[in-house]
Amino acid sequence: MSTAKRQIASLRDEYAEMTRQRIVAAFVEALEDEAVDDISMAAVAKRAKVAERTIYRHFKTRAELFAAAGEWIEDNVFSYIPFTSPDELPEIFRKLCKRFDRHPHLARAIAMTRAGRRVRAGFRRHLIDQHRKAMAPLVRHLPAKDVRQAEALASYLNNVLAWNAMREDFGMTSSEIADAIEWALTTLLKDVRQRDAAAARSGRAGQKAGKTPRKRTAAAKAPT
């Protein structure tokens, strides 16, 4: 391929990516402004200033567009904050509350509307997986049921749904919400650690008790 043709191909790819990003941004704007359960592709096309068929050239299905919008929101609006320990979650949620405050309509839309829930499905799965990994060292000795409960509570306290419910149902400010979530998470993690330690002690006691009868049996069989 000649240099000129490569340049043309590069410009074409660049323009296609710009169009793709404009479509995603237009979808997110529609979600934030309208906060409705369903957003038509015609409305997105109008906002993006492209033909509706252009959307389907870049996104074969609505699901592809929703997934791309979720990634765009995570990268450009609310931003994923990495963590390795559940003890970091209260401070992370406090930062997220401030970001939700800057985009309250979008935060509510992804929490409450059907379209918003589909948009956040991808990054919620990612966050749930991160919560599970972070909680793993704390729940090594707990039964599977308790582990699931601990993971679920940690994950859903650190969630836009919690922010939205406390804001709308109780009229709480983001600072008050962050304080309440910190209290809940701190209480949860303390209880989880206590339960895991108790389970570990119980397991060690059970192991020792299991060895004792075998020693006694061996002693009983020894010649007198």
Side-chain angles (χ1 to χ4, degrees):
M1 182 184 292
S2 67
T3 301
K5 286 183 178 180
R6 282 198 298 270
Q7 289 176 339
I8 292 172
S10 177
L11 288 172
R12 188 183 298 117
D13 291 343
E14 184 178 341
Y15 179 76
E17 180 59 25
M18 289 173 60
T19 302
R20 187 179 188 277
Q21 291 301 315
R22 193 161 74 246
I23 292 168
V24 172
F27 177 86
V28 174
E29 287 175 6
L31 184 64
E32 183 169 14
D33 290 348
E34 300 173 26
V36 295
D37 276 340
D38 192 28
I39 297 173
S40 70
M41 293 300 100
V44 176
K46 184 177 180 180
R47 283 178 179 268
K49 295 181 173 58
V50 299
E52 189 172 344
R53 64 179 178 274
T54 301
I55 295 177
Y56 289 104
R57 280 206 295 268
H58 291 273
F59 304 97
K60 295 179 181 179
T61 64
R62 290 171 65 87
E64 285 187 9
L65 177 55
F66 287 165
E71 292 176 3
W72 192 93
I73 291 170
E74 184 177 356
D75 292 340
N76 297 284
V77 184
F78 298 139
S79 301
Y80 169 70
I81 304 174
F83 60 94
T84 56
S85 167
D87 294 309
E88 300 172 55
L89 294 179
E91 185 57 32
I92 287 175
F93 189 78
R94 194 173 296 276
K95 292 178 181 178
L96 286 175
C97 282
K98 293 178 181 178
R99 295 174 187 180
F100 296 153
D101 272 356
R102 288 196 289 268
H103 302 273
H105 299 298
L106 181 58
R108 186 187 185 284
I110 65 173
M112 302 304 295
T113 67
R114 184 167 62 245
R117 290 195 297 271
R118 291 181 65 185
V119 163
R120 70 186 179 93
F123 60 75
R124 277 308 299 164
R125 284 193 295 271
H126 174 63
L127 278 176
I128 289 170
D129 184 55
Q130 289 303 109
H131 281 84
R132 183 174 291 117
K133 290 178 180 177
M135 290 291 290
L138 276 63
V139 295
R140 286 176 294 188
H141 305 96
L142 292 179
K145 178 183 176 182
D146 289 357
V147 172
R148 286 195 302 273
Q149 289 176 345
E151 291 172 350
L153 283 170
S155 177
Y156 284 94
L157 284 170
N158 181 34
N159 194 333
V160 67
L161 290 171
W163 173 85
N164 187 72
M166 293 185 186
R167 181 174 179 266
E168 292 198 351
D169 296 344
F170 296 94
M172 296 170 68
T173 66
S174 279
S175 179
E176 291 173 329
I177 295 169
D179 288 343
I181 293 298
E182 181 175 4
W183 176 27
L185 281 169
T186 301
T187 303
L188 169 67
L189 295 176
K190 180 180 178 181
D191 184 66
V192 167
R193 285 187 168 99
Q194 290 175 343
R195 290 187 182 206
D196 190 68
R201 289 193 298 269
S202 177
R204 288 194 294 269
Q207 289 175 356
K208 290 180 180 179
K211 292 178 182 178
T212 303
R214 288 195 293 272
K215 289 181 179 179
R216 288 176 179 171
T217 301
K221 290 181 179 179
T224 57

